[in-house]
Amino acid sequence: MPYDPPDTDTTTVDSPTADTPTAGSTTTADTTTADTTTEITTTAAEEPPTLPTGRHTGCPFDPPAELTALSDRPLRRLRYADGHTGHLATGHAAARAILADPRFSSRYELLHMPVPVPGMPAELPPAPVGDITGLDAPEHTRYRRLLTGRFTVRRMRQLTERVERFTAECLDAMEQAGPTADLVEALAQPVPALMICELLGVPYADRDRFQSQVAVIFDQAADAEARGGAYAGLLQYLNELVLAKRAEPTDDLLSDLTTSDLTDEELAGIGGLLLAAGLDTTANMLALGTFALLSNPDQLDALRADPGLAGQAVEELLRYLSVADPILRAALEDVEVEGQSIRAGETVTVSVQAANRDPLRFPDPDRLDIHRKATGHLSFGHGAHQCLGQQLARVEMAVVFPALLARFPTLRLAVPPQEVPLRERSNIYGVISLPVTWDEA
């Protein structure tokens, strides 16, 4: 199966890309070019670092301390798992410029992995049919034009009433079973699962089948055989569903897409991508976001006192937590970014965590502040692959957070913060479980 991309694909605009070089056309020598463009030089005394991981070494909501230390430069050399020397972008302006530039490709077969992944081949295969995260224009453009009209802001906001109903039902069940719960199981997973099932026309009764497959697909510690089997199982399920939609269309996205010129294989691939992305990222934002609010009582109290802050709170939590990280791109030609040269064939790792904590873009970036105007964060990516389902995710979070706090005014962690198990083996960061209680202290 392909590498699971760190970012969720999507946007509304596509640009033509430059001619693509061969995957092996990397350059590692460093020189200084004329005019204002410079190379980042690497000396024997300063070998390129590897990508830091492991948020558990400090605050569970902060980037690794080693990554913060590397953020003194917006762009620097980085050593990849296979020995490739590429780049690490930590500055917000540099990251945004790279993600918006069609001279940087998201094609899997051109990318190098910044960290080892068990069972991952030395050279990544091309994206499978329907996986638009690993495509460039014009192929990517064709898919995007079919999908963007079905994910408009207006259409996603029309789903608000359903999100409110699903959320209320989950909170009712929590209250009846209380006074303790695992918020992941009781609320954070069910709400996005219900919504993505309704959007795509997937029977909610099948959720256990695809949720377990999605968990393995995103588990970086799982071996290649397990990940490949889970991916194949998910595609098989979606293929069966596509055939059912063609035979008896219903009022949902998959049925709608059966009227396009997409093949069954393409429909299954797109459906699998949307199902996995729409479930996993939002579920982890809901759980980790609640953990962050409970760990910052002043911000929790402010949101509870003024639910009208929900929209701002969502944007700030997206910036502060940056659960989907990093994003990889490969230079299709020599490109200058921030006055520095990136050569054709080199991979750039865009650190969303670091870019969203760039003090030049967000003052006092390590502080959670729901009054902050956090627009411009890169948690949904940027450019031609910006997250297609971002508006649905925003609706879900803007409904769930204030509803949860209003229903349980005494909500708090049921275990010490350091005992909350973190989800660190996945492309999508979060918590494995979040034990909470709302009984009288």
Side-chain angles (χ1 to χ4, degrees):
M1 66 166 283
Y3 164 61
D4 301 310
D7 64 322
T8 303
D9 179 83
T10 52
T11 78
T12 56
V13 181
D14 283 296
S15 301
T17 60
D19 293 335
T20 304
T22 60
S25 61
T26 57
T27 307
T28 56
D30 290 280
T31 59
T32 303
T33 60
D35 302 321
T36 59
T37 303
T38 61
E39 295 275 357
I40 306 175
T41 58
T42 301
T43 66
E46 184 187 358
E47 289 297 322
T50 56
L51 182 68
T53 58
R55 300 192 189 194
H56 69 280
T57 56
C59 171
F61 315 116
D62 290 345
E66 296 86 351
L67 178 62
T68 301
L70 294 178
S71 300
D72 59 333
R73 306 177 195 169
L75 189 67
R76 64 164 64 233
R77 301 292 278 177
L78 185 72
R79 187 170 71 255
Y80 285 68
D82 61 358
H84 172 75
T85 300
H87 300 265
L88 170 66
T90 55
H92 183 276
R96 185 180 172 92
I98 290 164
L99 295 177
D101 194 330
R103 292 174 295 176
F104 288 97
S105 172
S106 64
R107 289 168 54 192
Y108 300 157
E109 67 270 27
L110 303 182
L111 302 175
H112 294 262
M113 295 299 296
V115 295
V117 177
M120 189 66 66
E123 294 185 4
L124 301 179
V129 175
D131 184 354
I132 61 178
T133 64
L135 299 177
D136 297 336
E139 294 84 3
H140 179 259
T141 309
R142 170 177 170 256
Y143 287 118
R144 289 306 300 245
R145 286 175 177 167
L146 285 171
L147 292 170
T148 50
R150 296 166 170 89
F151 279 88
T152 62
V153 174
R154 179 175 174 272
R155 186 169 186 176
M156 293 305 103
R157 286 178 177 166
Q158 288 175 343
L159 295 174
T160 300
E161 183 177 342
R162 298 179 200 177
V163 178
E164 291 172 342
R165 185 178 76 247
F166 291 154
T167 300
E169 291 172 355
C170 290
L171 294 176
D172 288 344
M174 276 180 62
E175 189 170 17
Q176 291 168 10
T180 61
D182 172 10
L183 198 77
V184 172
E185 183 178 326
L187 182 67
Q189 284 186 342
V191 171
L194 281 161
M195 288 307 301
I196 198 66
C197 285
E198 177 147 327
L199 183 67
L200 292 176
V202 176
Y204 185 63
D206 294 345
R207 67 191 182 281
D208 289 340
R209 177 179 175 182
F210 63 73
Q211 280 181 327
S212 61
Q213 292 165 337
V214 168
V216 175
I217 290 170
F218 282 107
D219 186 352
Q220 292 181 325
D223 60 37
E225 184 177 356
R227 289 157 63 96
Y231 186 76
L234 185 63
L235 285 184
Q236 180 181 349
Y237 172 77
L238 266 300
N239 267 302
E240 295 169 1
L241 190 62
V242 166
L243 292 176
K245 297 296 182 184
R246 286 200 186 278
E248 295 184 27
T250 50
D251 184 17
D252 53 67
L253 180 62
L254 275 183
S255 294
D256 194 13
L257 288 173
T258 61
T259 63
S260 70
D261 61 354
L262 293 174
T263 66
D264 290 349
E265 188 179 11
E266 288 174 315
L267 280 172
I270 291 173
L273 175 69
L274 296 175
L275 184 64
L279 170 67
D280 208 50
T281 50
T282 307
N284 280 282
M285 269 302 305
L286 289 172
L288 191 65
T290 301
F291 186 16
L293 288 170
L294 293 174
S295 301
N296 291 268
D298 59 329
Q299 301 304 302
L300 182 144
D301 290 343
L303 180 56
R304 180 182 284 123
D306 184 4
L309 288 172
Q312 284 185 203
V314 166
E315 299 305 315
E316 173 66 351
L317 285 166
L318 285 163
R319 179 202 71 83
Y320 183 68
L321 299 175
S322 304
V323 300
D325 181 79
I327 301 174
L328 306 183
R329 293 290 184 265
L332 297 172
E333 59 183 81
D334 293 350
V335 184
E336 178 186 348
V337 177
E338 294 283 301
Q340 296 170 359
S341 177
I342 299 173
R343 294 176 176 174
E346 291 182 330
T347 294
V348 182
T349 294
V350 176
S351 174
V352 176
Q353 297 178 65
N356 281 344
R357 298 290 186 99
D358 185 347
L360 296 179
R361 179 62 179 82
F362 301 103
D364 196 9
D366 295 328
R367 182 171 65 92
L368 177 65
D369 179 8
I370 66 171
H371 293 91
R372 184 198 306 269
K373 304 294 184 183
T375 54
H377 64 75
L378 301 178
S379 294
F380 289 120
H382 182 63
H385 285 269
Q386 192 176 21
C387 179
L388 182 66
Q390 60 181 290
Q391 300 305 335
L392 178 58
R394 284 184 167 107
V395 167
E396 291 172 3
M397 288 184 279
V399 168
V400 169
F401 288 131
L404 174 65
L405 300 184
R407 179 68 68 93
F408 303 112
T410 60
L411 187 74
R412 64 188 185 278
L413 292 176
V415 298
Q418 62 272 20
E419 293 184 13
V420 174
L422 302 177
R423 186 176 188 243
E424 299 181 273
R425 303 189 312 173
S426 172
N427 294 347
I428 310 299
Y429 184 63
V431 296
I432 297 172
S433 63
L434 189 67
V436 295
T437 185
W438 53 90
D439 60 344
E440 292 301 323

